[in-house]
């Protein structure tokens, strides 16, 4: 099964025409012909089964023959992760988190952040590709980059955690997680959160946690946190 993505399709769509790039892939690479089946999602949970009605290399048209709304997970995971100095490391995190299961991602700009400007166009493409590869019908929401202090002033629900490296009283994240519970986790930059930022987060209701005994890179810490939440909810 190969999954295609288009945000233009909804539950009322009966016919659809792919753009040139995907049309070429369907007709030339996958060698789909009239009557063959393709699967499409709009990233909002819908899985559409379609039959090729016009196998044109530039404008491949399909007829929607079946639609199913895939069930949502019984928890929501929001990771707020500081951008890494090298974009490819953040992209790796986005790809793997999408495969494991995540709902929202917010790049947070911190006191020790080495990267202050975040361009999200390529990040969006990484998320879409990972969603299709993992046969997931829900596209994670990528929020605009925001200063940590502003993020902490937002209306956040569920359990709140901040993973940091300071030698203070911290609980193990895996011991604090509860199944079927919405979770927001803060992951800092390579230089960690500043003491001021940690105190501010704790005052806003975030519980300080550790992700293990070793010091982890930002993107590794984010994946460990993501997998811990998924494992708790298995």
């Amino acid at each position: 099964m190969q999954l295609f993505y288009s945000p233009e399709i909804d539950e009322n769509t009966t016919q659809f025409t792919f753009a040139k790039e995907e049309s070429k892939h369907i007709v030339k690479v996958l060698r789909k012909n009239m009557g063959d089946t393709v699967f499409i999602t709009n990233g909002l949970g819908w899985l559409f089964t379609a039959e090729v009605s016009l196998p044109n290399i530039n404008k491949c048209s399909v007829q929607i023959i079946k639609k199913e709304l895939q069930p949502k997970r019984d928890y929501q995971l929001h990771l707020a992760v500081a951008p890494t100095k090298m974009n490819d490391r953040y992209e790796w995190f986005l790809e793997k988190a999408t495969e494991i299961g995540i709902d929202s991602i917010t790049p947070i700009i911190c006191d020790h952040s080495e990267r202050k400007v975040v361009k999200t166009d390529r990040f969006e493409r990484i998320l879409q590709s990972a969603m299709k590869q993992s046969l997931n019908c829900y596209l994670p929401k990528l929020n605009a980059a925001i200063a940590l202090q502003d993020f902490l002033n937002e209306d956040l629900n569920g359990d709140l955690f901040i993973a940091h490296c300071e030698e203070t009283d911290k609980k193990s994240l895996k011991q604090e997680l509860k199944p079927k519970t919405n979770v927001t986790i803060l992951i800092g930059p390579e230089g960690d959160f500043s003491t001021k930022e940690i105190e501010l987060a704790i005052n806003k209701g975030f519980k300080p946690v550790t992700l293990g005994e070793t010091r982890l890179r930002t993107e590794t810490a984010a994946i460990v946190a993501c997998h811990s939440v998924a494992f708790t909810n298995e």
Side-chain angles (χ1 to χ4, degrees):
M1 175 178 173
Q2 180 156 0
L3 189 62
F4 292 89
Y5 166 68
S6 176
E8 300 170 9
I9 299 181
D10 62 28
E11 59 271 29
N12 299 313
T13 302
T14 57
Q15 294 180 320
F16 180 73
T17 300
F18 287 96
K20 183 176 181 179
E21 184 178 344
E22 288 194 316
S23 293
K24 182 178 180 180
H25 183 73
I26 291 170
V27 178
K28 288 206 71 174
V29 179
L30 299 181
R31 299 186 181 278
K32 296 289 187 180
N33 214 324
M34 188 175 296
D36 287 345
T37 301
V38 295
F39 299 93
I40 314 165
T41 184
N42 60 0
L44 300 175
W46 285 97
L47 176 63
F48 302 95
T49 304
E51 284 185 356
V52 176
S53 55
L54 180 63
N56 186 291
I57 194 171
N58 294 316
K59 292 183 178 180
C60 179
S61 297
V62 297
Q63 183 85 23
I64 307 297
I65 60 173
K66 184 180 179 182
K67 58 185 179 182
E68 298 174 274
L69 182 61
Q70 304 301 297
K72 278 189 173 182
R73 291 188 297 272
D74 46 17
Y75 69 93
Q76 295 278 301
L77 172 59
H78 186 174
L79 286 184
V81 184
T84 53
K85 184 177 180 180
M86 303 299 292
N87 266 337
D88 60 346
R89 287 164 48 197
Y90 207 84
E91 291 169 4
W92 179 84
F93 145 64
L94 294 173
E95 179 184 74
K96 301 311 174 189
T98 302
E99 293 177 14
I100 295 168
I102 192 170
D103 301 282
S104 302
I105 301 138
T106 302
I108 47 172
I109 309 303
C110 306
D111 289 344
H112 298 156
S113 290
E114 293 184 90
R115 182 178 291 276
K116 303 287 186 179
V117 178
V118 179
K119 297 179 180 179
T120 59
D121 288 351
R122 178 170 166 80
F123 288 173
E124 285 284 3
R125 292 195 294 271
I126 296 291
L127 293 175
Q128 293 170 17
S129 177
M131 175 190 68
K132 293 187 292 183
Q133 187 277 329
S134 59
L135 303 181
N136 184 2
C137 291
Y138 287 94
L139 181 67
K141 181 182 179 183
L142 178 62
N143 300 307
I146 186 174
L148 175 62
Q149 186 167 348
D150 293 332
F151 180 80
L152 293 175
N153 288 327
E154 292 189 350
D155 185 20
L156 303 169
N157 64 75
D159 287 349
L160 309 175
F161 301 103
I162 177 171
H164 67 82
C165 300
E166 285 197 356
E167 296 296 329
T168 59
D169 184 30
K170 294 178 289 187
K171 304 293 185 181
S172 168
L173 175 63
K174 66 179 182 180
Q175 293 177 349
E176 292 293 309
L177 290 171
K178 301 187 292 289
K180 300 182 180 181
T181 303
N182 293 346
V183 182
T184 298
I185 305 175
L186 302 177
I187 305 292
E190 295 300 328
D192 201 10
F193 294 108
S194 66
T195 300
K196 178 183 176 182
E197 288 173 330
I198 295 170
E199 292 174 352
L200 183 61
I202 292 174
N203 289 336
K204 290 290 186 178
F206 282 79
K207 299 177 182 178
V209 292
T210 176
L211 301 175
E213 297 181 0
T214 59
R215 189 180 183 92
L216 305 175
R217 286 185 178 274
T218 295
E219 70 276 16
T220 311
I223 292 301
V224 169
C226 183
H227 183 263
S228 296
V229 174
F231 187 77
T232 300
N233 284 276
E234 282 188 347

